Structures are given as C-alpha cells and as structure tokens.
C-alpha cells in the first residue's frame, strides 16, 4: 500500500475512535505536518467519508454521521473479537438477526482483512469447538428489534402485532421498559396502558412494530432483567410450590435460579440460630414436581415443604431410595 494512502487510512482509524482530534495531535500521530493532515482530511471528504471540521481553541477533526458507513478499520485483535462474537452469537444466541445475516457479515469482514490476518483467524474459527448444540430459537425480525429499542430509549409507545403462546394474534399498544436477553431469546418488558398490567413479550413472536408519537414515564421499581426473571418464576403452571429454606439467597439460587424461584428472606424468629443462617420463603410454579426433590437434596440445606402435600411424598420416596442404595453392598 503506498505510504500516503496508508496514512490517510490511519487518519480514518484515529477519527473512528471518537471525539475531536486536534490537528497537532493528528500530525504527531501520523508523523506529518499540519498542512498534510488537512490535505488527508480533504482526501477522506472526496471519498464521501463525513469528516467534520471543528473550529476554536480545541478544534480539529471528527467524524460526523453520514449517509454511508465509512470504511471500517480493525486491528487484528478487534477483527478477532468481531468474528468470535458473530460465531458465538450464531451458535448460542440470542440473535438480533438471522443466522444468514451473521454469516454474510462475517464473510464481508474476512474479505477486507489482510491475507495473513484472514488466514490466522480462519484457522482459529476452523479449530474452535462448542460444547453446546446450535441454538434453535427463532430470531426476531431486525426491524421489530430496532423499533422496540428506539421506543425503550426514548420512552415512546409502540404498537406491535403479537402472537401469544395459544396462537391468538392481534395488535397491542405497549409502553416498553427494556429489552432483556435470557436463555437464547430476546424479551421486551412493557406495560399495557389499556389495562395497566406489566407484561413480558417475546420478540420472536412479534410480526411488526411501529413507534408512536408521544412519551411516557417508565415505572419505578426493579430493572427490566429482574422484572423478566420474576415474571418467568411466577408463570401460571400447574403446581404452586412454597418452601422454607435455611441458608443464604445466593446458595438457594445456585439450585433454583431467579428465573425459576422467588426467594424472600423471612424475619427472624425467637430461638433461631444466627450462625445456621436465615430462613427464606421460596415460591415457584412448576408443571411437574418430580424433579424438585433431587434439587432440594442437592442444596444440602434444611427445608420445610409448606405446599403442596404431594411434594412431601415425593421427597420421602427419594429419601427412601437413597437410604436403600446406601445400605447395599458392592
């Protein structure tokens, strides 16, 4: 690459790091005089790169929003980070776009990399293995994702066409609070102004979204991620389970994560041993009870089953099977 062209691209890379760069600073970084810096900035303008001149004592050059994205300058480490992010996103999700879009984006980045860098990165990606199977969750529509993000950022209402889990679909007007990535999916936490209810919506079930005029004040309280986890833990499944468990909330959540159970510390009672830990009420809703005794045993913490009575029987059955197995000779 001819040296003047290399310096023009180096100037672009410096400007892409953000902020205003003074002419003396750029001259020092590029190893040229200030007049040459101004000429290089003119070359970028000729290429339709939106370079903006800032006047004043601390003036200089910066990149302004343009109609086209300027050429992207990446170091080897930055290119590796982008390609690994695309590979991991296609594998595990959640993805804001389809897997095809991720593949074409990675292909475009590889095409503009120097051959030595491209070969090294291809060797890394080709030798990389994943322990988890490819994510099979559908990706939300990119236009829906961007519209919802804009509504969240500017506290604006949004209307969406949503298909519920039972297959019913229709238009909904929402006041969105936040976007949350969880377990390979993207969710929108929002309030329905017609009912005042706070709800959680899967973005992959939205056909379209349109930001509406006006604004609203987001509600106070937990952040969107906590709202999502609480909503998932209190979903209306077949069995409502209530337990009392002695231990720390962190220890309990190690076996029953926040997306499964709500853990609330109970006030101390007379005679409680402070060193043994505080009692917590653990509530969750589940479709089946058969997996819970094993999880409770793995916590290795004292617990009391408050309801349902059927869970006590399952815990007793597991205890009997463990006792029977422990008494067997090899």
């Amino acid at each position: 690459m001819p040296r003047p062209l290399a310096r023009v691209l180096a100037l672009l890379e410096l400007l892409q790091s953000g902020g205003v760069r003074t002419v003396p600073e750029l001259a020092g970084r590029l190893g040229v005089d200030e007049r040459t810096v101004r000429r290089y900035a003119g070359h970028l303008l000729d290429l339709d790169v939106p370079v903006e001149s800032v006047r004043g004592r601390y003036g200089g050059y910066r990149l302004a929003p343009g109609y086209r994205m300027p050429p992207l300058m990446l170091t080897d480490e930055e290119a590796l980070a982008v390609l690994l992010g695309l590979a991991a996103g296609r594998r595990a999700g959640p993805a804001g776009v389809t897997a095809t879009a991720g593949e074409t984006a990675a292909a475009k980045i590889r095409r503009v990399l120097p051959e030595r860098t491209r070969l090294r990165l291809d060797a890394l990606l080709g030798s990389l293995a994943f322990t988890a199977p490819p994510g099979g969750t559908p990706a939300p529509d990119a236009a829906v994702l961007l519209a919802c993000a804009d509504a969240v950022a500017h506290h604006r209402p949004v209307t969406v066409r949503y298909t519920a889990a039972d297959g019913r679909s229709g238009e909904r007007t929402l006041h969105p609070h936040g976007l949350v990535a969880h377990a390979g999916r993207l969710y929108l936490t929002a309030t329905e102004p017609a009912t005042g209810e706070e709800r959680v919506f899967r973005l992959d079930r939205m056909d379209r979204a349109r930001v509406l005029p006006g604004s609203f004040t987001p509600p106070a309280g937990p952040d969107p991620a906590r709202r999502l986890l609480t909503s998932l833990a209190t979903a209306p499944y077949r069995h409502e389970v209530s337990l009392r468990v002695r231990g720390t909330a962190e220890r309990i959540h190690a076996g029953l994560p926040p997306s499964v159970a709500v853990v609330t510390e109970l006030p101390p009672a007379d005679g409680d041993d402070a060193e043994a830990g505080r009692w917590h009420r653990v509530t969750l809703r589940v479709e089946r009870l058969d997996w819970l005794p094993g999880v409770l045993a793995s916590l290795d913490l004292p617990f009391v089953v408050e309801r349902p009575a059927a869970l006590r029987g399952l815990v007793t059955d597991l205890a009997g099977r463990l006792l029977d197995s422990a008494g067997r000779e090899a």
Side-chain angles (χ1 to χ4, degrees):
M1 181 181 296
R3 193 160 185 78
L5 178 57
R7 283 175 173 159
V8 171
L9 295 177
L11 171 62
L12 175 59
E13 184 175 1
L14 290 171
L15 294 177
Q16 283 189 147
S17 62
V20 177
R21 299 281 184 163
T22 65
V23 175
E25 176 192 0
L26 293 171
R29 295 288 298 271
L30 298 173
V32 298
D33 57 36
E34 295 182 13
R35 183 177 180 181
T36 303
V37 169
R38 295 187 178 91
R39 188 170 70 250
Y40 288 168
H43 291 333
L44 291 176
L45 286 169
D46 292 339
L47 295 171
D48 290 336
V49 177
V51 178
E52 195 174 65
S53 177
V54 180
R55 298 184 180 275
R57 180 180 177 184
Y58 301 104
Y61 292 105
R62 66 184 176 192
L63 284 183
Y67 294 105
R68 294 189 300 166
M69 182 181 292
L72 190 62
M73 306 293 293
L74 296 176
T75 64
D76 288 2
E77 186 176 358
E78 290 168 340
L80 174 61
V82 172
L83 291 176
L84 281 178
L86 289 170
R90 294 198 306 270
R91 189 77 180 187
V97 292
T98 62
T100 302
E103 292 169 359
T104 56
K108 289 178 180 179
I109 293 173
R110 284 199 295 267
R111 277 202 300 271
V112 299
L113 291 175
E115 184 177 7
R116 180 186 64 84
T117 302
R118 179 178 57 79
L119 292 176
R120 294 178 66 193
L121 293 179
D122 283 346
L124 170 61
L125 295 174
S127 61
L128 186 64
F130 293 86
T131 58
T137 56
D141 183 87
V144 168
L145 175 58
L146 292 174
C148 290
D150 181 56
V152 169
H154 298 97
H155 308 314
R156 293 182 176 177
V158 64
T159 179
V160 302
R161 182 168 181 82
Y162 190 76
T163 302
D166 58 8
R168 292 183 297 175
S169 62
E171 296 283 341
R172 296 173 184 254
T173 298
L174 308 174
H175 287 176
H177 312 146
L179 291 167
V180 185
H182 173 72
R185 298 188 189 277
L186 284 171
Y187 295 85
L188 180 72
T189 62
T191 299
E192 288 195 270
T195 62
E197 294 182 0
E198 292 188 12
R199 302 283 303 279
V200 172
F201 301 89
R202 277 174 41 182
L203 261 73
D204 58 280
R205 289 179 175 169
M206 295 182 184
D207 294 334
R208 59 178 179 267
R210 180 169 57 89
V211 180
L212 301 176
S215 62
F216 65 92
T217 301
D223 60 79
R226 176 58 56 185
R227 292 177 189 273
L228 170 67
L229 295 176
T230 301
S231 175
L232 295 176
T234 56
Y237 291 113
R238 181 180 176 186
H239 299 283
E240 183 177 343
V241 178
S242 180
L243 312 162
R244 280 186 289 125
V245 183
R246 172 180 275 174
T248 64
E250 292 77 12
R251 180 84 176 272
I252 297 170
H253 277 317
L256 296 167
S259 60
V260 173
V262 176
V263 177
T264 307
E265 186 175 301
L266 296 173
D270 294 339
D272 277 356
D273 183 358
E275 294 185 359
R278 298 286 294 273
W279 284 93
H280 291 75
R281 174 157 285 111
V282 180
T283 58
L284 60 156
R285 293 176 180 269
V286 296
E287 194 65 27
R288 293 165 48 194
L289 296 171
D290 53 357
W291 59 274
L292 264 174
V295 172
L296 293 174
S298 69
L299 289 177
D300 195 23
L301 295 171
F303 68 89
V304 176
V305 176
E306 294 181 324
R307 63 177 184 274
L311 179 58
R312 297 193 192 97
L314 293 175
V315 172
T316 301
D317 291 344
L318 175 62
R321 294 196 300 273
L322 291 175
L323 187 61
D324 180 63
S325 295
R328 291 178 183 173
E329 297 291 340

